[in-house]
Amino acid sequence: MEKQLEIKNISYKYDKELVLKNINLEIKKASFLVLLGLNGAGKSTLFALITRLLKIQSGDIYIDSFHISDYKNALKNIGIVFQEPTLDLDLSVKQNLVFSGSLKGLSFKETMDSIKEEIKTLDLEEKLNVKVRSLNGGHRRRVEILRALINSPKLLLLDEATSGLDIKSRYEIIAYIKGLVEKRGISVLWITHLFDEIDNNDEVAIIKKGEIISTGLAKDLIKENNMDSLTQVFESLTK
């Protein structure tokens, strides 16, 4: 199966501190991968490298077979949901969406057409003309995800996308994202520190102090380590 994202031998230093150590990771097309680690493990640094917020120091990253340095081709088919909210609170939902579309060179019609079905699925039809400031946390996250889906990306990158949400909202968002993988063939990198967001059939990469220490289906990692849960596996591997 072809790779949608390939990370090869990535290392990164802040000053003299090595925070990523020879990271190798790949996401196949139409698949869902969880990057699991504690705060400070290096998850957000890796996310910043993939999205070009940080410049690669060592190693290579390929998106849809294009090197990350080929900005025009590598990043044209990705959608991004950052950990920190980035919506303009004083604009309406629709204005936020149209502005993001314009940054991608899309007209109003092209922007709205590209997300027409997802607006319905995310139950945001009645919220389009509402200022973001008036929305609750769950709806704001839905808008950020909707914005990331403008122009039908092939790769969706989400950094702690459910941070601060209640359990119901978190599970609804996870179910929706997994549905995109099945329905639209999108590839997803889901970055989290929350174990209850991971299903036994999810592919997981565990990161500790800047190193990928274990990868595989959650259920296989549990079996291989003779544990009862992924939480136990994680605690055992990260002691």
Side-chain angles (χ1 to χ4, degrees), residues 12 71 83-84 106 108 128 143 193:
Y12 193 84
Y71 180 86
Q83 180 175 356
E84 297 298 325
L106 302 180
F108 173 89
L128 289 177
V143 175
H193 68 281

Side-chain angles (χ1 to χ4, degrees), residues 10-215:
I10 285 288
S11 295
Y12 193 84
K13 289 182 179 179
Y14 287 118
D15 295 324
K16 294 182 179 181
E17 183 184 1
L18 189 62
V19 294
L20 292 178
K21 307 168 188 176
N22 198 38
I23 298 289
N24 287 276
L25 201 60
E26 63 181 48
I27 302 178
K28 296 180 173 61
K29 294 193 174 183
S31 63
F32 181 91
L33 174 69
V34 179
L35 181 62
L36 175 66
L38 299 175
N39 293 333
K43 305 188 303 296
S44 292
T45 299
L46 184 59
F47 184 88
L49 288 167
I50 299 169
T51 54
R52 282 180 54 114
L53 293 175
L54 291 176
K55 186 177 180 180
I56 292 176
Q57 296 173 344
S58 176
D60 296 286
I61 297 175
Y62 297 88
I63 299 175
D64 205 15
S65 299
F66 294 103
H67 193 273
I68 196 79
S69 60
D70 184 356
Y71 180 86
K72 182 178 179 181
N73 288 307
L75 300 189
K76 69 178 180 179
N77 288 318
I78 70 170
I80 304 169
V81 178
F82 295 98
Q83 180 175 356
E84 297 298 325
T86 57
L87 297 170
D88 189 319
L89 299 180
D90 292 315
L91 295 182
S92 70
V93 170
K94 184 185 292 183
Q95 288 170 328
N96 270 279
L97 297 172
V98 171
F99 176 70
S100 294
S102 70
L103 295 178
K104 297 183 178 183
L106 302 180
S107 68
F108 173 89
K109 185 178 187 304
E110 289 170 331
T111 297
M112 300 309 290
D113 283 350
S114 73
I115 51 177
K116 180 190 291 186
E117 293 303 317
E118 304 311 325
I119 290 173
K120 296 177 184 177
T121 305
L122 287 168
D123 195 26
L124 289 171
E125 290 176 291
E126 303 299 319
K127 305 290 185 183
L128 289 177
N129 294 311
V130 175
K131 284 189 176 182
V132 170
R133 187 179 298 280
S134 301
L135 300 179
N136 62 33
H139 278 113
R140 290 186 190 185
R141 269 305 181 191
R142 292 186 187 197
V143 175
E144 298 213 49
I145 291 169
L146 183 59
R147 183 179 60 179
L149 294 172
I150 290 173
N151 210 22
S152 303
K154 297 178 181 177
L155 175 65
L156 196 57
L157 308 168
L158 304 103
D159 185 12
E160 303 281 3
T162 61
S163 178
L165 301 185
D166 60 65
I167 292 177
K168 182 176 182 294
S169 295
R170 285 169 51 208
Y171 288 172
E172 287 176 348
I173 286 174
I174 295 166
Y176 172 74
I177 296 298
K178 288 183 176 180
L180 290 175
V181 178
E182 296 180 8
K183 181 176 70 173
R184 297 176 56 172
I186 291 178
S187 301
V188 173
L189 176 60
W190 181 273
I191 296 177
T192 188
H193 68 281
L194 300 170
F195 296 92
D196 63 347
E197 295 186 349
I198 303 171
D199 184 83
N200 278 346
N201 291 312
D202 288 339
E203 187 176 359
V204 180
I206 297 175
I207 185 170
K208 173 190 176 184
K209 294 182 179 178
E211 293 184 89
I212 301 294
I213 58 173
S214 188
T215 59

